[in-house]
Structure formats: structure tokens, C-alpha cells
Amino acid sequence: MSEALAQKHEVSISAIPQALKAPPPASMMEAMMAWDESEYMGNYGSCLDILGVISPALVVVDPMCSHGYDAYTALRQNDMLLPPLSIEDFAGMIQSKLAFFWEYPVLSSAFPFPLPWSLMFPNISLTVRLICCLFSSTRLRMVATWRKKHGLTGTVPCFEPYIENSHYLFHSMLENDYPMIIPQHIKFCGPILLPERPISESDPDLAAWLEKGPTILINLGCHVAFDAADTNKLAKGVRVVLDYEPGIQVLWKINSRGPLSDDLLQLLGQELASGRVRIEDWLTIDPLAILQSGHVTCSVHHRSAKSYYEAIG
């Protein structure tokens, strides 16, 4: 099912930097709100039924799961919000002097922190543009219409930046985030990770390969699809690292739109033949098991919450 969803909501890597220049691609918005009206309201009703039957003392809600949050709100249960995103994405909006706009680098900008004076006005402009793009989304308006039709009011929960007086639990660490004022009802617990079987048991062949030396893991997720141009750009970066660090090997998971290009084979052909670079179209085991092997010195990912927390965990 996850592979089918990934294929349905596939996004070209070259489209990501354009998110701030034009409205987000429809596939990106659908990946965040991948329901039609009957699915959304059906999930909402199921959550109501479950909460009604078990009468929990505490409901832990991912605010990105909008129908679950709507159900909890309808029943006014005691709640704990467990967001998958950075603290900046939630508490940033309540910082003094509108610091969210000019102090913290906007998503996908690649701006440094602290922001130099020369980038403050571009950062403000990009932040405003991103907010406008999100809230002018046709998909978001459709979901808002469904909710209103069924008596649900307010902002679609997954686009509510901060819910005052709700208790938040972030599975990150304050030391790894931007410095900011943190309200008392926001707590940190560190990465929450599921246990994984040792890689020596789940994939002995890959385990033996990893033992050959320190490894860079490149895994940009299911939703990022590489065409030839995308692949070649990243391959050139891999080439630089291989030349600079002779002892490094690379495990690269590519969700490719076609066969590997001749340019990539020319750039990395020798290392592919020797096994120093290993390219897979799918990882048979969870990336966390690879990270826990002790042989990965660098994890290159697409800033998904799961990938980030696995890397720092």
C-alpha cells in the first residue's frame, strides 16, 4: 500500500526547490491530504467510534492526521499532540517580534542560520509566499469545504501552525533545534523509534558489504523520483566525495523514472563494478537497521521527520 501511495504522489526532485516560486504541485498537497470527502469523514467517524468505546484518559494525536484531531476536538478529550515536524514549525509563530519571518530560515531555502542581514528580506518574502501558496491551495479549500459541510469549523488541523494551551510532545532534542522561547506546555522526549532486527539477521549480504568500510547512506524517500538530470547532479556530488575520501563507500537508494543514464555509469561505473558504490531501487530492510549497524557515517535524506529522527537517534 505504501508503495502504491508513493507512486500516486510521486514528486520530481527538481520540482522541490520551485515550491517557493509557484504554488506547491498538486501531488505534494495530495500527499499531505490524501483523502476524498467520504474517506475523510469515514476516518473521522471511525475515530469518534473508537474514542467513544474506549473512553481514553489521554489522546495522543499527530496534528498532521487532521481527521483524528477533528475527532478528539469534537469529544473534548484530554490531549497530547505529537507533531512529526521541527519545533520551529510550531513554536516559531509565537516568537516575539515576528521572528518566524526574519530570524529562522524558511523551509527549502537552504539559507544559513543565523540569517545574515542580506538574507532577511528574501527570507521574509519567501515565508509570506509559502504561506500564501499553502492557503490558496485548491486541495486545501476542498477539504475545508467538506469539513464545514459536516459541521467541522476552524482551520484544517494539519495547517494549524500552533494550538494554544494544547500539550505538545516533540520526539526531537532541544539541542538539535533552533534556539527559541519554548512555552512550558511543550516538552521534548528524543526520537521515538521502533525496534529493528539486527541487519546481520535481516539482510546478511548487505551487512557484510557495510562491514567493508564507513558508508554514506543516500535515501531520499518514496516520493522523490529521479530523472536522468537529477541523477547526474547527485552523482557528480558523490564523485567529489569518493575522490576526496578514498575509504568511503556509498549506498544509494534511487527511485528512478527509468534505467540508469550513461552519464551516471561514466561517473561512477568503476566504483559500481568494484562494489564501492551500491545502488538499489528499493531497500529490503528499514533504513533504521542500516543506521544502527554502526557503519554509516553520514545519512543524506529529504528532511522527512522519520529520516531525520532516525539519523539523530
Side-chain angles (χ1 to χ4, degrees):
M1 180 177 178
S2 60
E3 292 183 43
L5 282 173
Q7 187 175 21
K8 178 181 178 182
H9 301 305
E10 195 173 84
V11 179
S12 169
I13 188 173
S14 60
I16 294 176
Q18 304 301 319
L20 299 178
K21 300 178 183 178
S27 56
M28 291 179 67
M29 299 303 293
E30 289 174 6
M32 296 179 68
M33 296 179 288
W35 322 281
D36 59 26
E37 182 176 2
S38 62
E39 290 170 340
Y40 189 99
M41 299 313 303
N43 290 335
Y44 167 73
S46 294
C47 290
L48 284 178
D49 292 341
I50 294 170
L51 292 173
V53 169
I54 64 177
S55 298
L58 177 69
V59 180
V60 180
V61 188
D62 179 349
M64 302 299 288
C65 178
S66 293
H67 36 70
Y69 187 84
D70 275 336
Y72 131 76
T73 303
L75 295 180
R76 300 186 181 277
Q77 301 279 344
N78 293 325
D79 75 302
M80 172 71 76
L81 299 183
L82 185 67
L85 305 177
S86 165
I87 182 64
E88 176 208 359
D89 299 313
F90 286 84
M93 294 296 291
I94 62 171
Q95 301 303 300
S96 61
K97 301 178 182 178
L98 298 176
F100 178 77
F101 290 90
W102 57 267
E103 184 172 354
Y104 304 107
V106 66
L107 176 69
S108 296
S109 66
F111 289 167
F113 181 85
L115 275 172
W117 281 100
S118 60
L119 291 178
M120 286 186 182
F121 286 106
N123 196 76
I124 293 170
S125 176
L126 290 175
T127 303
V128 172
R129 180 59 176 158
L130 177 60
I131 293 172
C132 290
C133 287
L134 291 175
F135 283 92
S136 64
S137 161
T138 301
R139 183 73 180 180
L140 179 58
R141 289 199 297 269
M142 287 174 57
V143 175
T145 300
W146 303 337
R147 294 174 72 254
K148 185 175 181 180
K149 175 182 174 182
H150 293 275
L152 300 174
T153 59
T155 306
V156 177
C158 66
F159 288 96
E160 184 71 52
Y162 178 75
I163 302 170
E164 190 174 2
N165 297 325
S166 288
H167 295 281
Y168 284 87
L169 183 65
F170 282 86
H171 47 131
S172 60
M173 294 178 285
L174 191 57
E175 297 83 356
N176 292 330
D177 235 309
Y178 293 127
M180 58 178 61
I181 299 171
I182 307 297
Q184 290 187 348
H185 58 275
I186 292 181
K187 305 297 182 184
F188 296 84
C189 65
I192 301 173
L193 305 173
L194 294 173
E196 292 290 336
R197 290 175 59 200
I199 192 172
S200 57
E201 298 177 8
S202 54
D203 193 334
D205 175 67
L206 182 56
W209 180 84
L210 288 169
E211 290 175 357
K212 293 180 180 180
T215 302
I216 295 175
L217 172 63
I218 303 175
N219 177 24
L220 301 183
C222 304
H223 299 298
V224 176
F226 289 81
D227 57 22
D230 299 329
T231 304
N232 292 340
K233 290 175 185 176
L234 193 47
K236 290 177 181 177
V238 172
R239 178 74 268 164
V240 171
V241 174
L242 294 175
D243 292 340
Y244 188 78
E245 292 286 351
I248 287 287
Q249 59 183 11
V250 176
L251 174 59
W252 184 1
K253 184 251 180 183
I254 295 182
N255 179 21
S256 178
R257 293 182 173 182
L260 299 180
S261 69
D262 293 338
D263 290 339
L264 182 143
L265 295 175
Q266 184 176 358
L267 283 165
L268 304 176
Q270 183 176 343
E271 285 75 14
L272 286 167
S274 68
R276 186 181 175 196
V277 174
R278 182 164 173 162
I279 292 180
E280 306 284 353
D281 59 3
W282 192 258
L283 297 174
T284 58
I285 59 175
D286 195 284
L288 178 58
I290 299 173
L291 293 169
Q292 291 178 338
S293 70
H295 300 294
V296 176
T297 59
C298 177
S299 175
V300 181
H301 57 82
H302 57 304
R303 198 186 178 266
S304 76
K306 182 175 184 291
S307 299
Y308 173 73
Y309 292 131
E310 286 178 345
I312 68 173

